[in-house]
Amino acid sequence: MSTTGLKAGAKAITGAVRKPSLSPARIALIAVIAVFLIAVLRVVTGANDLASSGALAAAIGLAVPIGMAGLGGLWSERAGVVNIGLEGMMILGTWGAGFFGWHYGPWAGLLGAMFCGMVGGAIHALATVVFGVDHIVSGVAINIIGYGTAKYLAARTFTGSPGGGPTQSPQLGKLPSLSIPGVSSGLGSLEKREIFFVSDLAAILRAMVTNLSFVTLIALAMVALTWWVLWHTTFGLRLRSCGESPVAAESLGVNVYKYKFIAVLVSGSLAGLGGGYLALVAANIYRDGQTGGRGYIGLAAMIFGNWRPGGLVGGAALFGYTDAVQLRGGGTTVHAMLLLLAVLTIGIGAWQLLRKHRVIKGVIAISAGVIVAVWYSISETVPDALTGMTPYVATLLVLAFASQRLRMPAADGLPYRKGEGH
């Protein structure tokens, strides 16, 4: 079949269910509204950590590994392979960063992290694509294998090394970071003046131009590259067609096995990059249990983003931000966020009632908002036992409200054997 015919057929497969994505103007509007709401909340509650450049810089650091895990999941699932083994691939990436970074330097450590994550992806691809193992079963096995392998290798490679041991590597070299002289200090001065909205915007910009790791820039480039490759190239069109209808893609001459295998390998390398960030940027050392479940959170961020790069970044940013403010501000800052949660929940409930005519869902949302508002009014802080749950609760709430707009690739997770369409 000609290339033109293949493109037309693949577009028919992927385009029949494609929904319009947010335009850049709408994304910018959403960002401005978010900054405005945070500014209002800061003024009303006095919780200045909500919009401090320190908290926002911490949010970026917490969001990057989650975003890379989610981006890896996006590649895999767009080709029709469910990948809940992202956690195991991240774990392998942390060990790879520790081992190669210790022996050959931090940049080699970053490449080593991606390679080790890719090894986990290769095992998952071999099991699911070639041997037809259930995707969930294979993913769980990858998580177990990744944890056990990293633990074993760490004990064998780091024990007896200077500053290392069975559960951690020696101190690793630092990767370079970027600061823009003059701009950073100027934005810092503007932030300290506490001008409504302007200072909040300055804090955000300052976090983006002060001590920004080069790995963060690489991660952003990966997001942009993913968007371009998957939605603006013939390769991406063929890959996505494998996730929508592999039988139809095969009938158009697409080598479905090859594209699925490539997607899962890329998925593993990106998850490994997220693990490498934790070891080389966040801590400058490999430690056992360093990922802390971020692979699973990355999967949630991918779902939040409706299997698209832009939405995924929003999901990772949401988790990173809520995690950062609760770590820096504790119960007082989380208490301030209850007010925003109450107002948004009541607003969503009213919208469900008045615009969508969904009475039950609207009443439930409004009732939940009222309960949160009462909690805010009768308390002054949130107990420490609950503050650590903040990012998880925020993610679950957003997923619950957005669930009706989500659509996974049609053939995601379904078994496929070559020649099924004949």
Side-chain angles (χ1 to χ4, degrees), residues 49-250:
D49 251 343
L50 286 170
S52 69
S53 56
L56 294 167
I60 293 173
L62 291 165
V64 169
I66 294 170
M68 287 299 94
L71 195 66
L74 185 148
W75 270 85
S76 180
E77 301 209 6
R78 276 294 177 179
V81 180
V82 172
N83 190 0
I84 66 168
L86 294 168
E87 177 74 5
M89 297 171 195
M90 286 189 78
I91 293 172
L92 291 172
T94 58
W95 177 83
F99 179 78
F100 290 99
W102 173 41
H103 284 286
Y104 307 108
W107 286 112
L110 199 65
L111 294 175
M114 296 180 70
F115 172 76
C116 290
M118 188 182 294
V119 170
I123 298 172
H124 187 51
L126 193 65
T128 55
V129 178
V130 178
F131 295 110
V133 176
D134 182 87
H135 297 192
I136 304 300
V137 173
S138 176
V140 172
I142 292 297
N143 290 334
I144 297 172
I145 292 170
Y147 175 76
T149 302
K151 199 172 184 68
Y152 171 78
L153 290 175
R156 292 295 301 270
T157 54
F158 299 138
T159 301
S161 60
T167 60
Q168 70 176 43
S169 71
Q171 198 73 20
L172 304 175
K174 291 186 177 181
L175 288 165
S177 58
L178 173 69
S179 292
I180 302 179
V183 177
S184 177
S185 57
L187 291 171
S189 300
L190 189 57
E191 177 188 357
K192 291 177 182 177
R193 296 177 65 179
E194 295 186 0
I195 304 172
F196 176 75
F197 186 78
V198 175
S199 292
D200 301 277
L201 186 60
I204 294 173
L205 295 175
R206 187 184 183 213
M208 297 174 66
V209 298
T210 306
N211 294 327
L212 191 67
S213 170
F214 272 67
V215 184
T216 301
L217 299 177
I218 292 172
L220 291 173
M222 290 294 183
V223 173
L225 185 63
T226 294
W227 168 78
W228 180 75
V229 169
L230 293 186
W231 276 271
H232 292 83
T233 67
T234 302
F235 172 86
L237 193 62
R238 291 172 177 174
L239 188 145
R240 288 186 294 118
S241 71
C242 296
E244 296 293 347
S245 178
V247 173
E250 183 186 348

Side-chain angles (χ1 to χ4, degrees), residues 402-419:
S403 60
Q404 292 184 340
R405 298 180 60 86
L406 302 178
R407 194 202 71 82
M408 64 192 295
D412 192 16
L414 298 181
Y416 165 77
R417 307 310 299 167
K418 189 174 182 179

